Amino acid sequence: MSLPVLVVGGGPAGIMAAICSATNGVPVVLLEKGRRLGTKMLITGKGRCNLTNVAPVTEMITQYPGNGQFLYSALHTFDNQALISLLSDLGVKVKVERGGRVFPASDMAKDVVSALTGYLYRLRVDIRLNHQATGVSVQEGRATGITVGDCLVRGRAVVVATGGLSYPRTGSTGDGYRWAKDLGHTVNPPLPSLVPLETAEEWPTQLQGLTLKNVTVKAVGDEVLGSEFGEMMFTHFGLTGPIILTLSRYIVQYQAKKPGPVTLFINMKPALKPEQLDARIQRDFLKFSRRQLKNALDDLLPQRMIPVFIELSGIPGDKYVHQVTRVERQHLVSLLQAIPVRITGTRPLAEAIVTAGGVSVKEVNPRTMESNLVSGLFWAGEVLDVDGFTGGYNLQAAFSTGYVAGKYAASR
């Protein structure tokens, strides 16, 4: 019997690599150190599994701030439509939601994992759970196997799909980074990406659970780092939500190069020009002319946010609106469109949705995912220095790089 392709890691990249190698007619051994496959997939999209995005490939590439161009060939080889078609063949119907996000129609990640796992068994992939790989065996510049404790599992090629460092309880504990360094690869420092932010001020914690929609948040250090429109949420430690997670990527990269303070400015009324907002406030004050300021902002702000906003404004909340001066009113306009929040840091890397950094893509063939340093060694998924924004892009990158790695590993 011919030697198998060895795939290390039972996440989306590893599963797809095993599927692709097996469908190319070669034996495959899939080693996973955990008790089951697809553990991290089960928690993506809050358990709903944001599989991919329906954006065209050229547009998708722009959604990977971390080395998106490296994915050009992989995304064209196995794109979002190919993934959707495969899942459909396996009985998993999908639906498209806001922003082109693709989810299983059942809203259950376990349906995706079960379908892919069942397919692996039908392809007779040798799945070895609770197998902790400890390194890659290399002879004369070629990957020849995987060590598991004191044992060597020999193979024709090795695909490393061990993930990054986010959510380590799912098995992503940086194993692949250590092996890459041992083999001479450059590993760019792993950093959290798409991660909630912690604030210096305590007032965001008072609003824990409150979601703001259709707001714009701008991140500013020595310069404007980024600006995003959409949804955010206050938490017990600070801020999270889609636009906060996107901005976190810019903030982390900025502070890694130049440690320093970053301030977010929340625009509660981004659709209005300052003079339009001022006119809107004047109409509200006329409508609530006999009310105190603390009772006259109901049409402008969520109820829970009003006391915090008034405190930030410095204007007494018991002041009647007809007594509010023009200068004070214009201050309210400015504050509504730029509520400042100082960022002290991020939540730990373990809580990040994805890891930025990893095996340098300069040392990996983008057409095959094969190492430029070690023949027969392939890298796939989050272990690579590739990361995207929220919206299904990171899972698609894992599936695409896994597919390509599995295809070319089989040809070895």
Side-chain angles (χ1 to χ4, degrees):
M1 181 177 178
S2 61
L3 288 173
V5 168
L6 304 178
V7 180
V8 187
I15 289 173
M16 190 58 68
I19 287 174
C20 190
S21 286
T23 54
N24 275 276
V26 301
V28 180
V29 175
L30 174 58
L31 299 103
E32 163 58 42
K33 68 180 180 180
R35 294 183 297 109
R36 64 179 302 170
L37 301 179
T39 303
K40 193 170 184 180
M41 288 174 63
L42 292 172
I43 62 174
T44 60
K46 298 180 180 178
R48 297 174 59 218
C49 197
N50 186 186
L51 291 159
T52 184
N53 196 287
V54 293
V57 169
T58 52
E59 183 181 326
M60 289 189 79
I61 289 172
T62 67
Q63 299 302 307
Y64 297 94
N67 297 310
Q69 286 299 319
F70 173 80
L71 295 173
Y72 184 88
S73 179
L75 289 173
H76 276 88
T77 301
F78 187 77
D79 64 8
N80 44 16
Q81 294 305 317
L83 175 62
I84 291 170
S85 178
L86 171 62
L87 291 173
S88 177
D89 291 343
L90 298 178
V92 179
K93 304 304 178 185
V94 301
K95 60 181 178 179
V96 181
E97 297 188 358
R98 177 178 53 85
R101 292 168 165 83
V102 178
F103 294 87
S106 65
D107 281 331
M108 300 184 72
K110 68 181 183 70
D111 291 346
V112 178
V113 175
S114 295
L116 292 173
T117 302
Y119 191 33
L120 288 170
Y121 280 113
R122 291 196 298 278
L123 290 170
R124 298 187 178 181
V125 171
D126 182 358
I127 300 172
R128 302 183 186 181
L129 302 177
N130 299 306
H131 274 61
Q132 172 73 65
T134 52
V136 179
S137 174
V138 176
Q139 295 181 1
E140 299 179 352
R142 178 178 179 78
T144 57
I146 288 291
T147 54
V148 180
D150 295 330
C151 299
L152 172 65
V153 183
R154 297 183 63 219
R156 69 169 68 197
V158 174
V159 179
V160 178
T162 50
L165 282 171
S166 56
Y167 296 110
R169 62 187 176 85
T170 65
S172 298
T173 53
D175 300 339
Y177 299 150
R178 293 189 292 274
W179 305 342
K181 289 179 180 178
D182 290 343
L183 296 172
H185 270 284
T186 301
V187 176
N188 296 321
L191 295 170
S193 187
L194 308 184
V195 63
L197 302 175
E198 297 179 343
T199 61
E201 293 84 357
E202 292 187 6
W203 65 260
T205 66
Q206 300 170 23
L207 301 176
Q208 178 181 350
L210 175 64
T211 295
L212 302 180
K213 297 182 178 181
N214 302 318
V215 298
T216 295
V217 179
K218 179 167 64 176
V220 180
D222 286 346
E223 58 189 35
V224 176
L225 306 180
S227 180
E228 294 292 326
F229 171 81
E231 183 176 311
M232 60 167 285
M233 186 173 75
F234 297 101
T235 72
H236 66 282
F237 53 75
L239 307 172
T240 190
I243 61 176
I244 297 300
L245 296 177
T246 296
L247 287 171
S248 74
R249 211 271 176 189
Y250 302 123
I251 294 170
V252 168
Q253 296 293 322
Y254 169 77
Q255 292 188 324
K257 297 176 182 177
K258 189 176 183 180
V262 172
T263 302
L264 299 187
F265 294 93
I266 304 171
N267 186 343
M268 299 293 296
K269 303 295 176 183
L272 300 178
K273 295 178 180 179
E275 58 271 21
Q276 293 174 317
L277 182 54
D278 185 34
R280 162 77 184 276
I281 292 175
Q282 290 185 64
R283 289 197 299 272
D284 283 1
F285 281 5
L286 184 62
K287 176 181 177 182
F288 302 122
S289 60
R290 297 184 180 182
R291 292 188 184 182
Q292 295 173 317
L293 181 62
K294 63 184 178 183
N295 297 318
L297 300 175
D298 299 59
D299 292 350
L300 282 170
L301 291 166
Q303 187 65 41
R304 288 180 59 195
M305 199 169 179
I306 292 174
V308 169
F309 180 78
I310 289 176
E311 184 176 349
L312 291 173
S313 75
I315 303 172
D318 56 2
K319 190 171 189 175
Y320 284 90
V321 294
H322 68 268
Q323 296 175 326
V324 175
T325 67
R326 178 175 178 274
V327 171
E328 289 174 329
R329 193 183 69 244
Q330 290 182 334
H331 175 58
L332 293 176
V333 170
S334 298
L335 186 60
L336 275 168
Q337 297 196 310
I339 299 174
V341 190
R342 292 171 296 160
I343 302 304
T344 57
T346 72
R347 298 298 287 173
L349 199 160
E351 295 182 28
I353 291 177
V354 68
T355 305
V359 177
S360 173
V361 296
K362 295 178 181 179
E363 299 166 358
V364 178
N365 185 329
R367 189 177 65 86
T368 64
M369 298 299 136
E370 187 172 18
S371 165
N372 292 334
L373 309 182
V374 179
S375 176
L377 174 63
F378 298 80
W379 303 96
E382 199 177 348
V383 70
L384 289 163
D385 185 9
V386 175
D387 63 284
F389 293 130
T390 58
Y393 302 107
N394 288 294
L395 265 184
Q396 180 64 56
F399 285 126
S400 294
T401 56
Y403 182 94
V404 170
K407 175 182 177 180
Y408 286 95
S411 70
R412 282 288 181 182

